[in-house]
Amino acid sequence: MPIRSFTIRVPATSANIGPGFDVVGLSLSLHLTLTVTVGAHDSISPKITYSGEGADEVPLDAYKNLTTRVALYVLRCHNIAKFPVGLTIHCDNEIPFGRGLGSSGAAVIAGVILGSELGQLSLPVERLLDFALMVERHPDNVTAALVGGFVGSYLRELDGAATEAASVPLSEVLPEYPPDAGEEWGLNPPQPPLGIGHYVRFGWSESIKALAIIPRFELSTAKARGVLPLEYSRKDLVFNLQRLAVLTTALARNPPDPELIYEAMKDRVHQPYRKTLIPGLPEVTSNITPSTHPGLLGICLSGAGPTILALATGGYEAIANDAAAIFKTHGIEVDWKVLEIAGGSIVQRNP
Ligand SMILES: Nc1ncnc2c1ncn2[C@@H]1O[C@H](COP(=O)(O)OP(=O)(O)OP(=O)(O)O)[C@@H](O)[C@H]1O
Ligand SMILES: N[C@@H](CCO)C(=O)O
């Protein structure tokens, strides 16, 4: 079999951007890069190596690693029961785990693209998104990681049969056990319904950069979703809807208006509940304002946290240092990075 090789590059993402809980996402210039070779050895066991963020904790067993499990799910849905012979994958990761920068969304998108490439399936973007949404069930991170930019998305209301197909437990989509020696998983995994997710890309003012202030502790998305209520008051929902409607256009305007954006990035749906898990969050978002910090446009929790996302046109160091000082009073150390808005996921097939 001839050797073939390709590279998959997927960006980090920040979800919510204040009021857009589970709705909006922004792709950022930190990447998960997979360098893949097929046919380089004659073993049926994929060889995975890993460098960068998460290298000390990520499983290197292809039946346990999130990216390769997702790829196998895509393959099994296309009547391909196993990885190709002689598969090697090197993952180089710049996206810190469990910080609200979309590491799991990037791993899932890398997995669906990997499955499509390994099976030579040529899946269109819409179908890649369907597969990703069977695994990560809120569309904000995965959509922005796949298509890039500042993106809004919704999940289509499905009919009864499709709802059932899309609601199967994650453990059936991605079995958590390796097949026994000499066995393979069956070829009857739950197929994603067609057209689960839909999205639109908003405009973005090129003058705006994203400052990520990253506390040195992990907070799993599952835990940060566990503190949210099941129901909200009409007042709080209207508060968020009003701001989100303004925000999606305000971030495309030149020059961006700090007063408008700062207010439009406030939230009453997730941040007030997550402050118990992120000491210092309310002080950071209320003490650092466009009038105290020229250049700042708005400030919020990035995804499920604990990272703080500040959108700004300058003054990055002062914003970061003052946020760091607030976190320090709570005993939390942070790192910070100024990031660009990134393009979407790309595959480069090597000659
Ligand atoms: N490159 C990767 N390869 C394999 N598994 C990964 C990779 N990146 C993340 N993961 C898995 O995802 C987990 C983190 O997911 P989680 O949803 O809790 O946080 P996050 O995606 O970083 O944050 P958020 O969803 O708020 O942006 C890691 O602990 C790890 O199990
Ligand atoms: N919208 C999601 C993003 C986390 O990945 C949340 O805030 O829980």
Side-chain angles (χ1 to χ4, degrees):
M1 195 193 357
I3 294 179
R4 85 189 154 93
S5 104
F6 54 90
T7 305
I8 299 169
R9 195 161 183 258
V10 183
T13 49
S14 179
N16 306 329
I17 322 296
F21 176 74
D22 279 3
V23 178
V24 295
L26 181 65
S27 57
L28 298 172
S29 58
L30 294 173
H31 290 89
L32 169 63
T33 305
L34 268 51
T35 307
V36 183
T37 307
V38 181
H41 56 85
D42 51 17
S43 167
I44 55 161
S45 297
K47 296 185 196 313
I48 304 177
T49 53
Y50 198 100
S51 58
E53 293 286 345
D56 50 352
E57 56 184 287
V58 76
L60 299 180
D61 176 334
Y63 298 100
K64 299 205 166 93
N65 182 286
L66 179 59
T67 298
T68 39
R69 284 165 73 202
V70 172
L72 190 56
Y73 168 54
V74 173
L75 289 170
R76 291 170 62 229
C77 284
H78 291 86
N79 293 322
I80 302 169
K82 48 191 173 182
F83 293 109
V85 172
L87 176 60
T88 66
I89 303 171
H90 179 72
C91 309
D92 182 57
N93 182 30
E94 299 174 334
I95 313 171
F97 281 15
R99 307 294 171 85
L101 289 169
S103 71
S104 59
V108 169
I109 291 298
V112 292
I113 296 174
L114 178 64
S116 179
E117 288 297 313
L118 291 178
Q120 299 182 286
L121 305 173
S122 302
L123 296 180
V125 166
E126 290 69 23
R127 198 62 187 141
L128 293 171
L129 188 57
D130 288 337
F131 278 96
L133 289 170
M134 290 293 282
V135 181
E136 180 142 319
R137 295 191 167 179
H138 44 88
D140 41 6
N141 293 104
V142 286
T143 309
L146 184 60
V147 305
F150 179 34
V151 182
S153 47
Y154 63 80
L155 299 181
R156 183 166 65 85
E157 274 202 87
L158 302 169
D159 62 27
T163 302
E164 210 170 297
S167 323
V168 290
L170 199 54
S171 56
E172 281 182 38
V173 177
L174 303 180
E176 284 173 22
Y177 50 86
D180 291 334
E183 284 184 18
E184 288 157 12
W185 281 319
L187 288 172
N188 55 352
Q191 297 273 345
L194 285 173
I196 309 177
H198 294 260
Y199 65 89
V200 66
R201 193 182 291 110
F202 304 118
W204 186 264
S205 164
E206 285 193 359
S207 60
I208 308 176
K209 290 192 177 144
L211 167 64
I213 300 154
I214 311 168
R216 288 189 194 156
F217 70 91
E218 289 188 30
L219 172 57
S220 80
T221 301
K223 188 171 175 191
R225 290 177 86 81
V227 298
L228 302 182
L230 292 175
E231 290 174 357
Y232 292 92
S233 69
R234 172 158 48 164
K235 197 164 153 240
D236 286 349
L237 283 184
V238 170
F239 180 97
N240 271 46
L241 289 171
Q242 288 174 335
R243 279 154 188 78
L244 183 59
V246 171
L247 185 67
T248 51
T249 296
L251 291 171
R253 291 240 173 109
N254 272 312
D257 176 345
E259 300 309 321
L260 190 69
I261 294 172
Y262 184 79
E263 182 60 34
M265 280 177 63
K266 288 186 180 168
D267 158 72
R268 287 196 186 157
V269 165
H270 68 109
Q271 292 181 187
Y273 305 97
R274 288 174 163 168
K275 67 183 181 199
T276 53
L277 302 172
I278 305 155
L281 169 65
E283 288 149 84
V284 171
T285 53
S286 57
N287 293 2
I288 297 179
T289 70
S291 44
T292 60
H293 292 74
L296 179 72
L297 299 169
I299 189 159
C300 63
L301 194 61
S302 179
T307 292
I308 300 290
L309 178 80
L311 298 181
T313 53
Y316 307 106
E317 192 164 351
I319 299 167
N321 287 341
D322 289 352
I326 294 171
F327 275 122
K328 200 162 186 150
T329 63
H330 294 273
I332 296 168
E333 297 292 330
V334 303
D335 301 297
W336 59 276
K337 290 175 193 220
V338 180
L339 302 172
E340 307 282 340
I341 305 330
S345 296
I346 50 169
V347 180
Q348 189 187 325
R349 296 181 189 98
N350 303 324

